[in-house]
Amino acid sequence: MKHSLFIAFFLCLGSFASAQQLTSPDGNLSLEFMEQADGVPAYRLDYKGKPVLTSGRLGLLTEEADLTRGFKQTNLERTSVDNYWNPVWGEYNRVRNHYNEMTVTLEQPETGRILNIRFRLFNDGLGFRYELPLQRKMNYLTVKDEVTEFNLTGNHKAFCIPGDYDTNEFAYTTAPLSDIAVDMEKRIAKKSYESKAEGGLTVQTPLMMKSEDGIYLNIHEAALVDYAGMLLNVDDKQFKLSAHLTPDKLGKKGYLQLPVLSPWRTVIVSDDARDILASQLIYNLNEPCQYEDTSWIRPMKFVGVWWEMFTGEGKTWAYSDFYQAKPGITDYAKLKPNGHHPANTAHVKEYIDFAAENGFDAVLVEGWNEGWENGGGYLKERVFSFTKAYPDFDVEGLHRYASSKGVKIIMHHETYSTASDYERQLHDAFHFMVDNGYDAVKTGYVGRLIPRSEYHDSQWMVNHYLHVVKTAADYKIMVNSHEAVRPTGVYRTYPNWIAQESARGTEFESFNDGIRPDHTTILPFTRLMGGPMDYTPGIFEGDLSTYGSNKRKRSSTLVKQLALYVTIYSPIQMAADLIENYKRYPEPFQFIKDVAVDWDKTDILEAEPGDYITIARKAKGKNEWFVGAITDENARTATIPFDFLPDGKKYIATIYEDGKDADWEKNPQSYHIFKAVVTNKSVLKQKLARSGGAAISIVEATGEEGLRGLKKIK
């Protein structure tokens, strides 16, 4: 890869002006760093000549050293970088990394302690971090607080979820900052192990906002490594935000040893919502890929034994109803099976056959291993075995059968949050996977954590998730983690961390509080800013009363479920519904079979957080394009220009649209499919039902004969 690197260093060892300026390459963003009274470091950010963040403090407060005040600037360095890099997988096959950088060195004359603050301004936003170089005056630090402020210019409309140390699977609140407290309080209950952040009103990042004058802001973090995950304190009267690091249960917010690089604090800014979704700033702030060989990392589509445990049919992850069973101690062969365990050899073979017949890469199987009778974590330290299968699950036989069909099986490691025990078993578990042909694992962390002193987003657990990913790489295994800390672009560095859940996904369609129609129009602006999500779309039969359950109905039309494969990006996508439902609807199922999971290019055609999203993507290495359009509870007409297609050619578009009588509440399964001829000059006005969508697959026309009789979209 060739880089264009232009570096200019400005070094002054004497006195400095009270403020330093930095602008983005295009000049639209301007940052000012200054020293306030008492040597307090601070910054402000302008966009197109208007403030978006007013003066806010910077610094770290530790038990051993106060790094928030008493500083004098002693050094300044400036750098400009403009280069490209190629993701192993992603929404783009080539990413531009273009920024201007300013690093300010601060020293406390009284103590001799040194703190560097590094700022990078991209055309789409700001990243900054704290750096503590090796120095004689400091070594080990215990974090009390991070004094990082994001002071807003007004009462912005916010799209947010409550601050919590253990979970991020809440429904979103959409309201002005002054009104979010009341609404979010209704959304605390989730799965009984939430741990509401202490100390007042807090929200999770990524936090999406829109100002009254139409400026979009997104605040998050990048490169979260060996540090606690960040929430945001909210002053809903003065509209000020500040960093809130996840503590352990002793109240400690991190244990550091110099040299220290904090995560980047990120602020993405634009007056066009499409730019927020297109931003690669968070990925650019992460380190390059650490693996020389990435050929074993491959995007995939899969089906699996999963949704039937949520539908109300009485299926269960456990082999037996004997709840005193203990992995490695109980003789499971002597236990009476409950007759409701779908992770059995015969049933998994049905999924393998279905995957092979329909071109899917893999089959996920949950509930295959000893321990599901053992209850949740926290009270019990050793819950699961990750090397011992239930008596009705033939590991070796299924491996041979799947291999004969050209299909992989995805391993499932639910830990019930006994993370310390998972680390003890990790090498044995991965050896077992390699020996039996598994090259991908879905991990889970449901429940309160063991070690009991930790939360899901605390520093110890942040390190645990990455330890699992790096260990998996030694065995050439890909990791899809659920109930983990929110992603921060670390996939660039460790691309076998191929997806996460870390938000409210499809499983909530089966829970009483469900998923609202606007949820999937918010997720790309929030949770997905830091990395792909295993959302598990594709539920065609969303009325769970069909299975004898009195639970709620699906939150979208069937066609919107198709569109989610484009609008909710992931390099692994599950066709999450039951086999029989795909057989009932073979025509719309064709889109799931066709849609790609890895991309050359992405075009954001329309976007407004909480309302609608329309995205077009080009499949990697193919002349195939796919479009997804979704809306919230309001019907609308999407405007879809096809100018992302190459000029001078004709294309055949297969359009999956909501039926004329489609409605997410009254008639969600109504759909219509037609083919049309399009060029890059065509513009489609496409009607979307309430919580509806449209999905389009596009291929280049091979001749005029195949275009006869097709509608032409001008």
Side-chain angles (χ1 to χ4, degrees), residues 146-168:
E146 182 180 308
V147 186
T148 302
E149 295 180 339
F150 307 89
N151 293 332
L152 307 173
T153 59
N155 189 16
H156 298 346
K157 182 180 181 180
F159 304 83
C160 54
I161 56 177
D164 194 278
Y165 302 147
D166 267 327
T167 184
N168 29 51

Side-chain angles (χ1 to χ4, degrees), residues 13 184 205 216 218 240 263 450 519 537 581 597 671 688 698:
L13 298 177
M184 286 200 308
T205 67
Y216 300 88
N218 186 282
K240 296 182 177 181
I450 297 177
H519 183 70
N581 291 329
V597 289
Y671 68 87
L688 312 181
I698 306 166

